[in-house]
Amino acid sequence: MHRYRDLTTLLARLVVGVTFVLHAYQKLAINGMSGVSAGFEQMGIPLPAAAAWFTALVELLGGLALILGVLLPVAGVLLAAVMLGALVTAHSGAYFATDGGFEYVLVLAAVSLALGFSGPKYTLQAAFASRKDSAPAAV
Protein backbone atom coordinates (compact mmCIF):
# COMPACT_ATOMS: atom_id res chain seq x y z
CA MET A 1 0.00 0.00 0.00
CA HIS A 2 2.90 2.39 0.66
CA ARG A 3 3.92 2.11 -2.98
CA TYR A 4 0.46 3.24 -4.12
CA ARG A 5 0.43 6.04 -1.57
CA ASP A 6 3.81 7.25 -2.83
CA LEU A 7 2.69 7.10 -6.47
CA THR A 8 -0.60 8.90 -5.82
CA THR A 9 1.24 11.55 -3.80
CA LEU A 10 3.59 12.03 -6.75
CA LEU A 11 0.61 12.34 -9.09
CA ALA A 12 -1.01 14.93 -6.80
CA ARG A 13 2.25 16.90 -6.56
CA LEU A 14 2.55 16.94 -10.35
CA VAL A 15 -1.06 18.02 -10.96
CA VAL A 16 -1.09 20.71 -8.28
CA GLY A 17 2.42 21.87 -9.19
CA VAL A 18 1.51 22.25 -12.86
CA THR A 19 -1.66 24.10 -11.85
CA PHE A 20 0.35 26.63 -9.86
CA VAL A 21 2.97 27.02 -12.61
CA LEU A 22 0.19 27.71 -15.13
CA HIS A 23 -1.40 30.26 -12.79
CA ALA A 24 1.97 31.99 -12.57
CA TYR A 25 2.33 31.85 -16.36
CA GLN A 26 -1.10 33.43 -16.68
CA LYS A 27 -0.02 36.29 -14.42
CA LEU A 28 3.42 36.76 -15.95
CA ALA A 29 2.77 36.23 -19.66
CA ILE A 30 -0.94 36.37 -20.43
CA ASN A 31 -2.42 39.05 -18.16
CA GLY A 32 0.88 40.81 -17.55
CA MET A 33 2.07 41.97 -14.18
CA SER A 34 0.69 45.48 -14.71
CA GLY A 35 -2.77 43.97 -15.22
CA VAL A 36 -2.43 41.74 -12.16
CA SER A 37 -1.19 44.69 -10.11
CA ALA A 38 -4.14 46.82 -11.26
CA GLY A 39 -6.53 44.04 -10.26
CA PHE A 40 -4.88 43.75 -6.85
CA GLU A 41 -5.17 47.51 -6.43
CA GLN A 42 -8.91 47.39 -7.23
CA MET A 43 -9.31 44.73 -4.52
CA GLY A 44 -7.63 47.06 -2.04
CA ILE A 45 -4.54 44.90 -1.54
CA PRO A 46 -1.71 46.98 -0.03
CA LEU A 47 1.38 47.39 -2.21
CA PRO A 48 -0.38 45.82 -5.20
CA ALA A 49 2.68 45.61 -7.46
CA ALA A 50 4.77 43.88 -4.79
CA ALA A 51 1.86 41.59 -3.88
CA ALA A 52 1.35 40.67 -7.54
CA TRP A 53 5.01 39.79 -8.01
CA PHE A 54 5.13 37.89 -4.72
CA THR A 55 2.05 35.89 -5.69
CA ALA A 56 3.34 35.08 -9.18
CA LEU A 57 6.78 34.07 -7.91
CA VAL A 58 5.38 31.89 -5.11
CA GLU A 59 3.06 30.18 -7.59
CA LEU A 60 5.89 29.64 -10.08
CA LEU A 61 8.63 28.56 -7.68
CA GLY A 62 6.27 26.73 -5.32
CA GLY A 63 4.72 24.89 -8.25
CA LEU A 64 8.15 23.89 -9.54
CA ALA A 65 9.13 22.77 -6.03
CA LEU A 66 6.08 20.50 -5.88
CA ILE A 67 6.85 19.08 -9.33
CA LEU A 68 10.51 18.43 -8.55
CA GLY A 69 10.07 17.50 -4.92
CA VAL A 70 12.40 20.04 -3.36
CA LEU A 71 11.84 22.26 -0.32
CA LEU A 72 8.37 20.78 0.01
CA PRO A 73 7.50 22.15 3.48
CA VAL A 74 8.52 25.68 2.47
CA ALA A 75 6.63 25.45 -0.82
CA GLY A 76 3.53 24.02 0.88
CA VAL A 77 3.38 26.75 3.51
CA LEU A 78 4.01 29.60 1.03
CA LEU A 79 1.48 28.30 -1.50
CA ALA A 80 -1.12 27.83 1.25
CA ALA A 81 -0.45 31.36 2.51
CA VAL A 82 -0.94 32.83 -0.98
CA MET A 83 -4.19 30.88 -1.40
CA LEU A 84 -5.47 32.00 2.00
CA GLY A 85 -4.60 35.56 1.00
CA ALA A 86 -6.69 35.08 -2.15
CA LEU A 87 -9.50 33.70 -0.01
CA VAL A 88 -9.52 36.75 2.25
CA THR A 89 -9.06 39.39 -0.45
CA ALA A 90 -10.96 38.08 -3.45
CA HIS A 91 -13.08 35.03 -2.68
CA SER A 92 -14.71 35.51 0.70
CA GLY A 93 -18.21 36.37 -0.51
CA ALA A 94 -19.43 32.83 -1.19
CA TYR A 95 -18.36 29.21 -0.86
CA PHE A 96 -18.71 27.82 -4.40
CA ALA A 97 -16.12 28.79 -7.00
CA THR A 98 -18.89 29.21 -9.58
CA ASP A 99 -20.19 32.08 -7.44
CA GLY A 100 -16.71 33.64 -7.06
CA GLY A 101 -16.30 31.90 -3.72
CA PHE A 102 -13.40 30.38 -1.86
CA GLU A 103 -13.97 26.67 -2.58
CA TYR A 104 -11.10 26.34 -5.11
CA VAL A 105 -8.50 28.41 -3.27
CA LEU A 106 -9.31 26.64 0.01
CA VAL A 107 -8.77 23.24 -1.63
CA LEU A 108 -5.48 24.44 -3.15
CA ALA A 109 -4.35 25.76 0.25
CA ALA A 110 -5.15 22.49 2.04
CA VAL A 111 -3.62 20.30 -0.67
CA SER A 112 -0.49 22.46 -0.79
CA LEU A 113 0.01 22.00 2.94
CA ALA A 114 -0.64 18.26 2.75
CA LEU A 115 1.79 17.81 -0.14
CA GLY A 116 4.36 20.01 1.52
CA PHE A 117 4.50 17.60 4.44
CA SER A 118 3.82 14.40 2.51
CA GLY A 119 7.23 12.79 2.74
CA PRO A 120 10.26 12.50 0.53
CA LYS A 121 9.47 9.50 -1.70
CA TYR A 122 9.86 10.20 -5.46
CA THR A 123 11.51 13.58 -4.98
CA LEU A 124 14.82 15.07 -6.06
CA GLN A 125 15.73 15.34 -2.39
CA ALA A 126 15.27 11.58 -1.97
CA ALA A 127 17.23 10.88 -5.15
CA PHE A 128 20.16 12.97 -3.98
CA ALA A 129 20.02 11.51 -0.48
CA SER A 130 20.12 7.94 -1.80
CA ARG A 131 23.02 8.85 -4.09
CA LYS A 132 24.91 10.33 -1.18
CA ASP A 133 24.22 7.24 0.96
CA SER A 134 25.45 4.89 -1.78
CA ALA A 135 28.56 6.91 -2.67
CA PRO A 136 31.84 5.28 -1.64
CA ALA A 137 33.43 6.72 1.48
CA ALA A 138 36.32 9.09 0.98
CA VAL A 139 39.68 7.61 1.87
Side-chain angles (χ1 to χ4, degrees):
M1 291 306 279
H2 290 289
R3 182 173 148 208
Y4 295 119
R5 182 190 64 207
D6 295 334
L7 287 172
T8 57
T9 300
L10 172 63
L11 176 63
R13 279 195 358 253
L14 294 175
V15 169
V16 174
V18 167
T19 298
F20 276 114
V21 168
L22 291 176
H23 276 254
Y25 175 77
Q26 184 182 40
K27 286 175 180 61
L28 293 165
I30 296 173
N31 298 336
M33 292 310 294
S34 60
V36 175
S37 180
F40 279 20
E41 186 172 22
Q42 285 180 332
M43 288 183 266
I45 297 173
L47 303 169
W53 277 102
F54 178 78
T55 300
L57 290 175
V58 167
E59 289 176 345
L60 176 64
L61 298 175
L64 289 173
L66 289 179
I67 292 166
L68 298 173
V70 295
L71 301 170
L72 290 175
V74 173
V77 168
L78 288 174
L79 289 167
V82 165
M83 291 299 96
L84 292 175
L87 185 154
V88 169
T89 59
H91 300 280
S92 61
Y95 177 76
F96 294 107
T98 54
D99 299 327
F102 61 85
E103 168 188 28
Y104 180 63
V105 294
L106 184 62
V107 168
L108 283 176
V111 170
S112 296
L113 275 178
L115 293 174
F117 294 94
S118 64
K121 190 78 172 188
Y122 300 127
T123 65
L124 281 183
Q125 282 180 229
F128 287 124
S130 67
R131 253 179 143 194
K132 184 178 177 184
D133 293 341
S134 65
V139 182

Coordinates of all heavy atoms in Angstrom, one line a residue, residues 39-117:
G39 N -5.5 44.8 -10.9 CA -6.5 44.0 -10.3 C -6.4 44.0 -8.8 O -7.4 44.1 -8.0
F40 N -5.1 43.8 -8.3 CA -4.9 43.7 -6.9 C -5.2 45.1 -6.2 O -5.7 45.2 -5.1 CB -3.4 43.4 -6.6 CG -3.2 41.9 -6.6 CD1 -4.0 41.0 -7.3 CD2 -2.0 41.4 -6.1 CE1 -3.7 39.6 -7.4 CE2 -1.7 40.0 -6.1 CZ -2.6 39.1 -6.8
E41 N -4.9 46.2 -6.9 CA -5.2 47.5 -6.4 C -6.7 47.7 -6.3 O -7.2 48.3 -5.3 CB -4.6 48.6 -7.3 CG -4.7 50.0 -6.8 CD -3.9 51.0 -7.6 OE1 -3.6 50.7 -8.8 OE2 -3.6 52.1 -7.1
Q42 N -7.5 47.3 -7.3 CA -8.9 47.4 -7.2 C -9.5 46.6 -6.1 O -10.5 47.0 -5.5 CB -9.5 46.9 -8.5 CG -9.4 47.8 -9.7 CD -10.1 47.3 -10.9 OE1 -10.2 46.1 -11.1 NE2 -10.5 48.2 -11.8
M43 N -8.8 45.5 -5.7 CA -9.3 44.7 -4.5 C -8.9 45.3 -3.2 O -9.2 44.8 -2.1 CB -8.8 43.3 -4.6 CG -9.5 42.5 -5.7 SD -8.9 40.8 -5.7 CE -7.5 40.9 -6.9
G44 N -8.1 46.4 -3.3 CA -7.6 47.1 -2.0 C -6.4 46.4 -1.4 O -6.2 46.6 -0.2
I45 N -5.7 45.6 -2.1 CA -4.5 44.9 -1.5 C -3.4 45.9 -1.4 O -3.1 46.6 -2.4 CB -4.1 43.7 -2.4 CG1 -5.2 42.7 -2.5 CG2 -2.8 43.1 -2.0 CD1 -5.0 41.6 -3.4
P46 N -2.8 46.0 -0.2 CA -1.7 47.0 0.0 C -0.5 46.6 -0.9 O -0.3 45.4 -1.2 CB -1.3 46.8 1.4 CG -2.4 46.1 2.1 CD -3.2 45.3 1.0
L47 N 0.2 47.6 -1.4 CA 1.4 47.4 -2.2 C 1.1 46.4 -3.3 O 1.7 45.3 -3.5 CB 2.6 46.9 -1.4 CG 3.0 47.8 -0.2 CD1 4.0 47.0 0.6 CD2 3.6 49.1 -0.7
P48 N 0.1 46.8 -4.2 CA -0.4 45.8 -5.2 C 0.7 45.3 -6.2 O 0.7 44.1 -6.5 CB -1.5 46.6 -5.9 CG -1.2 48.0 -5.7 CD -0.5 48.1 -4.3
A49 N 1.6 46.1 -6.6 CA 2.7 45.6 -7.5 C 3.5 44.6 -6.8 O 3.8 43.5 -7.3 CB 3.5 46.8 -8.0
A50 N 4.0 44.8 -5.5 CA 4.8 43.9 -4.8 C 4.0 42.6 -4.5 O 4.5 41.5 -4.6 CB 5.3 44.5 -3.5
A51 N 2.7 42.8 -4.2 CA 1.9 41.6 -3.9 C 1.7 40.7 -5.1 O 1.7 39.5 -5.1 CB 0.5 42.0 -3.3
A52 N 1.5 41.4 -6.3 CA 1.3 40.7 -7.5 C 2.6 39.9 -7.9 O 2.5 38.7 -8.2 CB 1.0 41.7 -8.7
W53 N 3.8 40.5 -7.7 CA 5.0 39.8 -8.0 C 5.2 38.7 -7.0 O 5.7 37.6 -7.4 CB 6.2 40.8 -8.0 CG 6.3 41.4 -9.3 CD1 6.0 42.7 -9.7 CD2 6.9 40.9 -10.5 NE1 6.2 43.0 -11.0 CE2 6.8 41.9 -11.5 CE3 7.4 39.6 -10.8 CZ2 7.2 41.6 -12.8 CZ3 7.9 39.4 -12.1 CH2 7.8 40.4 -13.1
F54 N 5.0 38.9 -5.7 CA 5.1 37.9 -4.7 C 4.2 36.7 -5.0 O 4.7 35.5 -5.0 CB 4.8 38.5 -3.3 CG 4.9 37.4 -2.2 CD1 6.1 37.1 -1.7 CD2 3.8 36.8 -1.7 CE1 6.3 36.1 -0.7 CE2 3.9 35.9 -0.7 CZ 5.1 35.5 -0.2
T55 N 3.0 37.0 -5.4 CA 2.1 35.9 -5.7 C 2.5 35.1 -6.9 O 2.5 33.9 -6.9 CB 0.7 36.5 -5.9 OG1 0.2 37.2 -4.8 CG2 -0.3 35.4 -6.3
A56 N 2.9 35.8 -8.0 CA 3.3 35.1 -9.2 C 4.6 34.2 -8.9 O 4.7 33.1 -9.4 CB 3.6 36.1 -10.3
L57 N 5.5 34.8 -8.2 CA 6.8 34.1 -7.9 C 6.6 32.9 -7.0 O 7.1 31.8 -7.2 CB 7.8 35.0 -7.4 CG 8.4 36.0 -8.4 CD1 9.4 37.0 -7.7 CD2 9.0 35.3 -9.5
V58 N 5.7 33.0 -6.0 CA 5.4 31.9 -5.1 C 4.7 30.8 -5.9 O 5.0 29.6 -5.8 CB 4.5 32.3 -3.9 CG1 3.9 31.1 -3.2 CG2 5.4 33.2 -2.9
E59 N 3.7 31.2 -6.8 CA 3.1 30.2 -7.6 C 4.0 29.5 -8.5 O 4.0 28.3 -8.7 CB 1.9 30.8 -8.4 CG 0.7 31.2 -7.5 CD -0.3 32.0 -8.3 OE1 -0.1 32.4 -9.4 OE2 -1.4 32.1 -7.7
L60 N 4.9 30.2 -9.1 CA 5.9 29.6 -10.1 C 6.9 28.8 -9.4 O 7.0 27.6 -9.7 CB 6.6 30.7 -10.8 CG 7.7 30.3 -11.8 CD1 7.1 29.4 -12.9 CD2 8.5 31.4 -12.4
L61 N 7.6 29.3 -8.4 CA 8.6 28.6 -7.7 C 8.1 27.5 -6.8 O 8.6 26.4 -6.7 CB 9.5 29.5 -6.9 CG 10.3 30.6 -7.7 CD1 11.0 31.5 -6.8 CD2 11.2 29.9 -8.7
G62 N 6.9 27.8 -6.1 CA 6.3 26.7 -5.3 C 5.7 25.6 -6.2 O 5.9 24.4 -5.8
G63 N 5.2 25.9 -7.3 CA 4.7 24.9 -8.2 C 5.9 24.0 -8.7 O 5.8 22.8 -8.8
L64 N 7.0 24.7 -9.1 CA 8.1 23.9 -9.5 C 8.7 23.0 -8.4 O 9.1 21.9 -8.6 CB 9.2 24.8 -10.1 CG 8.9 25.5 -11.4 CD1 10.0 26.6 -11.7 CD2 8.8 24.5 -12.5
A65 N 8.7 23.5 -7.2 CA 9.1 22.8 -6.0 C 8.3 21.5 -5.8 O 8.8 20.4 -5.5 CB 9.1 23.6 -4.8
L66 N 7.0 21.7 -6.0 CA 6.1 20.5 -5.9 C 6.4 19.5 -7.0 O 6.5 18.3 -6.7 CB 4.6 20.9 -6.0 CG 4.0 21.7 -4.8 CD1 2.5 22.0 -5.0 CD2 4.1 20.9 -3.5
I67 N 6.6 20.0 -8.2 CA 6.8 19.1 -9.3 C 8.1 18.3 -9.1 O 8.2 17.1 -9.3 CB 6.9 19.9 -10.6 CG1 5.5 20.4 -11.0 CG2 7.5 19.0 -11.8 CD1 5.5 21.5 -12.1
L68 N 9.2 19.0 -8.7 CA 10.5 18.4 -8.6 C 10.7 17.7 -7.2 O 11.6 16.8 -7.1 CB 11.6 19.5 -8.7 CG 11.6 20.2 -10.1 CD1 12.6 21.4 -10.0 CD2 12.0 19.2 -11.2
G69 N 9.9 18.1 -6.2 CA 10.1 17.5 -4.9 C 11.3 18.1 -4.1 O 12.1 17.3 -3.6
V70 N 11.4 19.4 -4.1 CA 12.4 20.0 -3.4 C 11.8 21.1 -2.5 O 10.8 21.7 -2.8 CB 13.5 20.7 -4.3 CG1 14.2 19.7 -5.1 CG2 12.9 21.7 -5.2
L71 N 12.3 21.3 -1.3 CA 11.8 22.3 -0.3 C 10.3 22.2 -0.1 O 9.6 23.2 -0.1 CB 12.3 23.7 -0.8 CG 13.8 23.9 -0.9 CD1 14.0 25.2 -1.6 CD2 14.5 23.8 0.4
L72 N 9.8 21.0 0.0 CA 8.4 20.8 0.0 C 7.7 21.5 1.2 O 6.6 22.1 0.9 CB 8.0 19.3 0.0 CG 8.3 18.6 -1.3 CD1 8.1 17.1 -1.2 CD2 7.5 19.2 -2.4
P73 N 8.2 21.4 2.4 CA 7.5 22.1 3.5 C 7.4 23.7 3.2 O 6.4 24.3 3.5 CB 8.3 21.8 4.7 CG 9.0 20.5 4.4 CD 9.3 20.6 2.9
V74 N 8.5 24.2 2.8 CA 8.5 25.7 2.5 C 7.5 26.0 1.4 O 6.7 26.9 1.5 CB 9.9 26.1 2.1 CG1 9.9 27.6 1.6 CG2 10.9 25.9 3.2
A75 N 7.6 25.2 0.3 CA 6.6 25.4 -0.8 C 5.2 25.3 -0.4 O 4.3 26.1 -0.7 CB 6.9 24.5 -2.0
G76 N 4.9 24.2 0.4 CA 3.5 24.0 0.9 C 3.0 25.2 1.7 O 1.9 25.6 1.5
V77 N 3.8 25.7 2.6 CA 3.4 26.8 3.5 C 3.2 28.0 2.7 O 2.2 28.7 2.9 CB 4.4 27.0 4.7 CG1 4.1 28.3 5.4 CG2 4.3 25.8 5.6
L78 N 4.1 28.4 1.8 CA 4.0 29.6 1.0 C 2.8 29.5 0.1 O 2.1 30.5 -0.1 CB 5.3 29.9 0.3 CG 6.5 30.4 1.1 CD1 7.7 30.5 0.3 CD2 6.2 31.7 1.8
L79 N 2.6 28.4 -0.6 CA 1.5 28.3 -1.5 C 0.2 28.4 -0.7 O -0.8 29.1 -1.2 CB 1.6 27.0 -2.3 CG 2.6 26.9 -3.4 CD1 2.8 25.5 -3.8 CD2 2.3 27.9 -4.5
A80 N 0.1 27.7 0.4 CA -1.1 27.8 1.2 C -1.4 29.3 1.7 O -2.5 29.7 1.7 CB -1.0 26.9 2.5
A81 N -0.3 30.0 2.1 CA -0.4 31.4 2.5 C -1.0 32.2 1.4 O -1.9 33.1 1.6 CB 0.9 31.9 3.0
V82 N -0.5 32.0 0.2 CA -0.9 32.8 -1.0 C -2.4 32.5 -1.2 O -3.2 33.4 -1.5 CB -0.1 32.6 -2.2 CG1 -0.7 33.1 -3.5 CG2 1.3 33.2 -2.0
M83 N -2.8 31.2 -1.2 CA -4.2 30.9 -1.4 C -5.1 31.4 -0.3 O -6.2 31.9 -0.6 CB -4.3 29.4 -1.5 CG -3.7 28.8 -2.8 SD -4.4 29.4 -4.3 CE -3.3 30.7 -4.8
L84 N -4.7 31.4 0.9 CA -5.5 32.0 2.0 C -5.6 33.5 1.8 O -6.6 34.1 2.1 CB -4.9 31.6 3.4 CG -5.0 30.1 3.7 CD1 -4.3 29.8 5.0 CD2 -6.5 29.7 3.8
G85 N -4.5 34.1 1.3 CA -4.6 35.6 1.0 C -5.6 35.8 -0.1 O -6.4 36.8 0.0
A86 N -5.7 34.9 -1.1 CA -6.7 35.1 -2.2 C -8.1 34.9 -1.6 O -9.0 35.6 -2.0 CB -6.4 34.1 -3.3
L87 N -8.2 34.0 -0.6 CA -9.5 33.7 0.0 C -10.0 35.0 0.7 O -11.1 35.4 0.5 CB -9.4 32.5 1.0 CG -10.6 32.0 1.7 CD1 -10.5 30.6 2.1 CD2 -11.0 32.9 2.9
V88 N -9.1 35.6 1.5 CA -9.5 36.7 2.3 C -9.8 38.0 1.4 O -10.7 38.7 1.6 CB -8.4 37.1 3.3 CG1 -8.7 38.4 4.0 CG2 -8.4 36.0 4.3
T89 N -9.0 38.2 0.3 CA -9.1 39.4 -0.5 C -10.0 39.3 -1.6 O -10.6 40.3 -2.0 CB -7.7 39.8 -1.0 OG1 -7.2 38.7 -1.8 CG2 -6.7 40.1 0.1
A90 N -10.2 38.1 -2.2 CA -11.0 38.1 -3.5 C -12.1 37.1 -3.5 O -13.0 37.2 -4.3 CB -10.0 37.8 -4.6
H91 N -12.1 36.1 -2.6 CA -13.1 35.0 -2.7 C -13.9 34.8 -1.4 O -14.4 33.7 -1.2 CB -12.3 33.7 -3.1 CG -11.6 33.8 -4.3 ND1 -12.2 33.7 -5.6 CD2 -10.3 34.0 -4.6 CE1 -11.3 33.8 -6.5 NE2 -10.2 34.0 -6.0
S92 N -14.0 35.8 -0.6 CA -14.7 35.5 0.7 C -16.2 35.7 0.7 O -16.9 35.4 1.7 CB -14.1 36.4 1.8 OG -14.3 37.8 1.4
G93 N -16.8 36.1 -0.5 CA -18.2 36.4 -0.5 C -19.1 35.2 -0.6 O -20.3 35.2 -0.2
A94 N -18.6 34.0 -1.0 CA -19.4 32.8 -1.2 C -18.5 31.6 -1.0 O -17.3 31.7 -1.0 CB -20.1 32.8 -2.6
Y95 N -19.2 30.4 -1.0 CA -18.4 29.2 -0.9 C -18.0 28.7 -2.2 O -16.8 28.4 -2.5 CB -19.1 28.1 -0.1 CG -18.3 26.8 0.0 CD1 -17.2 26.7 0.8 CD2 -18.6 25.8 -0.9 CE1 -16.4 25.6 0.8 CE2 -17.9 24.6 -0.9 CZ -16.8 24.5 0.0 OH -16.0 23.4 0.0
F96 N -19.0 28.5 -3.1 CA -18.7 27.8 -4.4 C -17.9 28.7 -5.4 O -18.2 29.9 -5.5 CB -20.0 27.4 -5.0 CG -20.7 26.3 -4.2 CD1 -21.9 26.6 -3.5 CD2 -20.2 25.0 -4.2 CE1 -22.5 25.6 -2.8 CE2 -20.8 24.0 -3.4 CZ -21.9 24.3 -2.7
A97 N -17.0 28.1 -6.0 CA -16.1 28.8 -7.0 C -17.0 29.4 -8.1 O -16.6 30.4 -8.6 CB -15.0 27.9 -7.6
T98 N -18.0 28.7 -8.5 CA -18.9 29.2 -9.6 C -19.6 30.5 -9.2 O -20.0 31.3 -10.1 CB -20.0 28.2 -10.0 OG1 -20.7 27.8 -8.8 CG2 -19.4 26.9 -10.6
D99 N -19.6 30.8 -7.9 CA -20.2 32.1 -7.4 C -19.1 33.1 -7.0 O -19.4 34.0 -6.3 CB -21.1 31.8 -6.2 CG -22.3 30.9 -6.6 OD1 -22.8 31.0 -7.7 OD2 -22.7 30.1 -5.7
G100 N -17.8 32.8 -7.4 CA -16.7 33.6 -7.1 C -16.2 33.4 -5.7 O -15.5 34.2 -5.1
G101 N -16.6 32.2 -5.1 CA -16.3 31.9 -3.7 C -14.9 31.3 -3.5 O -14.1 31.2 -4.4
F102 N -14.7 30.8 -2.3 CA -13.4 30.4 -1.9 C -13.2 28.9 -2.0 O -12.1 28.4 -1.6 CB -13.1 30.9 -0.4 CG -14.1 30.3 0.6 CD1 -13.9 29.1 1.2 CD2 -15.2 31.1 1.0 CE1 -14.8 28.6 2.2 CE2 -16.1 30.7 2.0 CZ -15.9 29.4 2.6
E103 N -14.1 28.1 -2.5 CA -14.0 26.7 -2.6 C -12.6 26.2 -3.2 O -11.9 25.5 -2.6 CB -15.1 26.2 -3.4 CG -15.1 24.7 -3.9 CD -16.2 24.4 -4.9 OE1 -16.6 25.3 -5.6 OE2 -16.5 23.2 -4.9
Y104 N -12.3 26.7 -4.4 CA -11.1 26.3 -5.1 C -9.8 26.7 -4.4 O -8.9 25.9 -4.2 CB -11.1 27.0 -6.5 CG -10.0 26.6 -7.4 CD1 -9.7 25.3 -7.8 CD2 -9.2 27.6 -7.9 CE1 -8.7 25.0 -8.6 CE2 -8.1 27.3 -8.7 CZ -7.8 26.0 -9.1 OH -6.8 25.7 -9.9
V105 N -9.7 28.0 -3.9 CA -8.5 28.4 -3.3 C -8.3 27.7 -1.9 O -7.2 27.5 -1.5 CB -8.4 30.0 -3.1 CG1 -8.3 30.6 -4.5 CG2 -9.5 30.5 -2.3
L106 N -9.4 27.4 -1.2 CA -9.3 26.6 0.0 C -8.8 25.2 -0.2 O -7.9 24.7 0.5 CB -10.7 26.6 0.7 CG -10.7 25.9 2.1 CD1 -9.8 26.7 3.1 CD2 -12.1 25.8 2.6
V107 N -9.3 24.6 -1.3 CA -8.8 23.2 -1.6 C -7.3 23.3 -2.0 O -6.5 22.5 -1.5 CB -9.6 22.6 -2.8 CG1 -8.9 21.4 -3.3 CG2 -11.0 22.3 -2.3
L108 N -6.9 24.3 -2.8 CA -5.5 24.4 -3.2 C -4.6 24.7 -1.9 O -3.5 24.2 -1.8 CB -5.3 25.6 -4.2 CG -5.7 25.2 -5.6 CD1 -5.5 26.4 -6.5 CD2 -4.9 24.1 -6.1
A109 N -5.1 25.5 -1.0 CA -4.3 25.8 0.2 C -4.2 24.5 1.0 O -3.0 24.2 1.5 CB -5.1 26.8 1.1
A110 N -5.2 23.7 1.2 CA -5.2 22.5 2.0 C -4.3 21.5 1.4 O -3.4 20.8 2.0 CB -6.6 21.9 2.3
V111 N -4.4 21.3 0.1 CA -3.6 20.3 -0.7 C -2.1 20.7 -0.7 O -1.3 19.9 -0.6 CB -4.2 20.1 -2.1 CG1 -3.2 19.3 -2.9 CG2 -5.6 19.5 -2.0
S112 N -1.9 22.0 -0.8 CA -0.5 22.5 -0.8 C 0.2 22.1 0.5 O 1.3 21.6 0.6 CB -0.4 24.0 -1.0 OG -0.9 24.3 -2.3
L113 N -0.5 22.4 1.6 CA 0.0 22.0 2.9 C 0.2 20.5 3.1 O 1.3 20.0 3.5 CB -0.9 22.5 4.1 CG -0.8 23.9 4.5 CD1 -1.8 24.2 5.6 CD2 0.6 24.2 5.0
A114 N -0.8 19.7 2.7 CA -0.6 18.3 2.8 C 0.5 17.7 1.9 O 1.3 16.9 2.4 CB -1.9 17.6 2.3
L115 N 0.7 18.3 0.7 CA 1.8 17.8 -0.1 C 3.1 18.3 0.4 O 4.1 17.6 0.2 CB 1.6 18.3 -1.6 CG 0.4 17.6 -2.3 CD1 0.2 18.2 -3.7 CD2 0.6 16.1 -2.4
G116 N 3.1 19.5 1.0 CA 4.4 20.0 1.5 C 4.9 19.2 2.6 O 6.1 19.1 2.9
F117 N 4.1 18.4 3.3 CA 4.5 17.6 4.4 C 4.2 16.1 4.2 O 4.0 15.3 5.1 CB 3.8 18.1 5.7 CG 4.3 19.4 6.1 CD1 3.5 20.6 5.8 CD2 5.4 19.6 6.9 CE1 4.0 21.8 6.1 CE2 5.9 20.9 7.2 CZ 5.1 22.0 6.8

